[in-house]
Amino acid sequence: VYEAHDRAFDREVALKVLLRSYQRRDESRERFFQEARTTARLQHPGIVSVYDMGLSDDGQPYFAMKLVRGRTLSELLKTENQSQMQRSRLLDLFSRVCQTVAYAHARKTVHLDIKPSNVMVGSYGEVYLMDWGLSRQLGMTPVHLTPISPAAVDSISDEELSTLLSNSKIIGTPAYMAPEQARGQSIGVRSDVFGLGALLCELLTGAPPYEGDNFRRIYRRAARGALREAFQRLDSCNADPAMTSLAKRCLARNAEDRPTDAGTIAGEITAFVESSMERAERDLCRFFEISRDLFCIASLDGYFKRVNSNFSRVLGYGHGELVSLPFIEFIHPDDIEQTVAAVETLASGNPVCEFRHRYRDSQGRYWCFEWTAKSIPEDNIIFAVAR
């Protein structure tokens, strides 16, 4: 994947090119272009836009996408500590991944490779589910696989297993893979539900459901659905019982025992995240609406959770527009850097911060606001007042 410049529209893009070693394989070329078509068809804020695809002058398959600057969730997990504050923020990111997968499921598409390295967190808190190259559209012509039984997986040698896997066309990442997917059996939206449970398991415990010192050992555990160790880690991770219970239900060995789809998980996560704000909101409710200042509750990931009516009165935007976009979208370009720095200060544990910046109203004019903000990092919340 290259960073490139689109001269026609004067913009930076990400240019994905199929490796030369795969270009002569018809199956690899078709999967590559299928990724571009699937990503372009799924129009959602959590899925990166595709601008163009084709063959270069020298015959290399490519497609161009929106360039996202940020880090993968896998990178964030390696660099951030697993404090209560961080766990709260990770659950908010996970909620948005669930919403993206729910959208895909509603359009009869399954991702089949949900894992931290395929989740991108942008510089302003945007969350994208990347790499739809292994996705399948449900109801289309099925892919014929050779099912593998758990008994066969346990009884054959490593060499025989490697041959079996190469002939079976089983795809995915074993550490996060549903048992039916690992065995080459029928897949569906509940295979992605397992993938979301695997992602949640890693967010809560620091490790995916299946671990091992080599690919084949991890794959054997995935094919058997060997989840005892993962469940033990969930039981001892000190996370909220509601979240460990949700992870276990998503990781059920039998697909029928899992939540029905990603929308169900998104609803549970959203309710859990929002419940942490209810007590604070009740305490502040009266002041919230009678104050003449602009008062808000925001997340450390850059979104308003609630704003009082003065925001709409001064800026002219509706409540839905204010809470659906990152608040950085409304800030003067010259003030973005200092705003990001203020949020980072609040996120780092410095509880109170004062700063000034300009907000754009619905008519394109700018208003200068003086802010005083206080963070509650363990709840992923910022309380802020401006005048």
Side-chain angles (χ1 to χ4, degrees):
V1 181
Y2 299 94
E3 181 177 343
H5 183 74
D6 181 349
R7 289 180 291 184
F9 292 97
D10 190 25
R11 61 185 173 184
E12 305 307 307
V13 301
L15 193 67
K16 192 167 187 175
V17 180
L18 185 62
L19 289 172
R20 291 186 182 276
S21 58
Y22 289 95
Q23 289 178 16
R24 294 184 180 276
R25 304 179 188 179
D26 291 340
E27 181 181 348
S28 297
R29 289 167 63 92
E30 177 55 32
R31 185 183 297 168
F32 181 81
F33 284 127
Q34 183 59 42
E35 177 185 356
R37 288 189 288 267
T38 297
T39 309
R41 179 171 54 82
L42 297 174
Q43 297 291 310
H44 185 273
I47 300 174
V48 176
S49 301
V50 170
Y51 300 141
D52 190 19
M53 72 175 186
L55 298 174
S56 65
D57 292 342
D58 59 352
Q60 295 188 76
Y62 74 88
F63 60 89
M65 304 172 288
K66 174 183 177 180
L67 178 65
V68 178
R69 300 192 186 279
R71 293 188 290 175
T72 67
L73 185 52
S74 179
E75 292 170 332
L76 288 173
L77 290 173
K78 291 176 182 176
T79 58
E80 302 287 348
N81 62 62
Q82 291 294 310
S83 65
Q84 189 65 34
M85 175 191 73
Q86 179 65 8
R87 182 174 288 168
S88 177
R89 298 184 69 185
L90 291 175
L91 286 177
D92 192 51
L93 299 178
F94 177 71
S95 173
R96 283 187 264 168
V97 174
C98 291
Q99 292 165 9
T100 301
V101 178
Y103 168 85
H105 287 177
R107 281 144 187 81
K108 299 188 181 303
T109 301
V110 289
H111 187 278
L112 299 180
D113 200 20
I114 299 169
K115 57 185 178 181
S117 60
N118 280 341
V119 176
M120 176 71 76
V121 181
S123 301
Y124 302 126
E126 324 94 292
V127 179
Y128 299 96
L129 182 57
M130 313 287 284
D131 200 348
W132 293 77
L134 303 185
S135 65
R136 294 278 187 266
Q137 192 168 355
L138 301 175
M140 303 293 285
T141 303
V143 178
H144 295 290
L145 304 177
T146 303
I148 303 173
S149 70
V153 169
D154 283 336
S155 62
I156 62 178
S157 66
D158 285 352
E159 291 73 17
E160 291 172 320
L161 178 60
S162 296
T163 302
L164 189 61
L165 288 174
S166 62
N167 293 333
S168 68
K169 298 182 180 179
I170 289 173
I171 55 174
T173 305
Y176 305 89
M177 195 183 291
E180 69 273 10
Q181 185 179 349
R183 299 170 192 165
Q185 297 170 335
S186 178
I187 55 175
V189 294
R190 282 176 164 150
S191 302
D192 270 354
V193 167
F194 186 97
L196 289 170
L199 179 59
L200 181 57
C201 176
E202 182 156 358
L203 298 184
L204 296 177
T205 71
Y210 309 118
E211 294 185 285
D213 52 15
N214 60 60
F215 172 89
R216 288 182 291 270
R217 179 166 295 179
I218 296 173
Y219 171 78
R220 291 180 195 272
R221 292 178 177 175
R224 295 198 311 269
L227 292 157
R228 182 173 58 86
E229 292 182 5
F231 283 10
Q232 289 175 342
R233 284 190 280 110
L234 284 166
D235 288 337
S236 61
C237 71
N238 296 321
D240 190 283
M243 291 298 95
T244 56
S245 174
L246 176 60
K248 287 181 178 180
R249 285 188 284 119
C250 293
L251 293 173
R253 183 179 289 107
N254 297 317
E256 296 78 11
D257 297 330
R258 301 170 201 153
T260 53
D261 54 31
T264 303
I265 308 171
E268 290 193 35
I269 289 288
T270 299
F272 175 81
V273 172
E274 290 181 350
S275 68
S276 66
M277 298 171 58
E278 289 179 355
R279 183 176 64 256
E281 287 195 31
R282 285 196 300 268
D283 294 341
L284 291 167
C285 186
R286 292 179 182 178
F287 172 78
F288 200 89
E289 294 303 336
I290 66 173
S291 170
R292 300 180 63 182
D293 295 324
L294 286 83
F295 190 88
C296 71
I297 300 175
S299 73
L300 288 165
D301 297 312
Y303 285 80
F304 290 123
K305 296 294 187 181
R306 186 176 173 187
V307 296
N308 68 355
S309 58
N310 293 333
F311 271 87
S312 295
R313 178 179 59 80
V314 173
L315 297 176
Y317 300 109
H319 179 272
E321 190 171 6
L322 287 165
V323 301
S324 64
L325 295 171
F327 53 68
I328 209 79
E329 294 283 342
F330 303 99
I331 294 172
H332 192 289
D334 292 345
D335 297 343
I336 288 177
E337 185 176 348
Q338 68 181 30
T339 304
V340 172
V343 174
E344 289 176 347
T345 297
L346 291 165
S348 67
N350 293 315
V352 178
C353 182
E354 296 182 352
F355 57 97
R356 175 187 294 184
H357 62 201
R358 289 162 289 178
Y359 256 68
R360 183 185 68 254
D361 68 15
S362 60
Q363 303 301 313
R365 300 167 300 187
Y366 283 93
W367 297 72
C368 185
F369 290 161
E370 292 184 347
W371 289 92
T372 300
K374 176 179 176 60
S375 66
I376 305 179
E378 62 270 20
D379 289 333
N380 192 33
I381 288 176
I382 301 170
F383 295 102
V385 61
R387 58 181 57 185

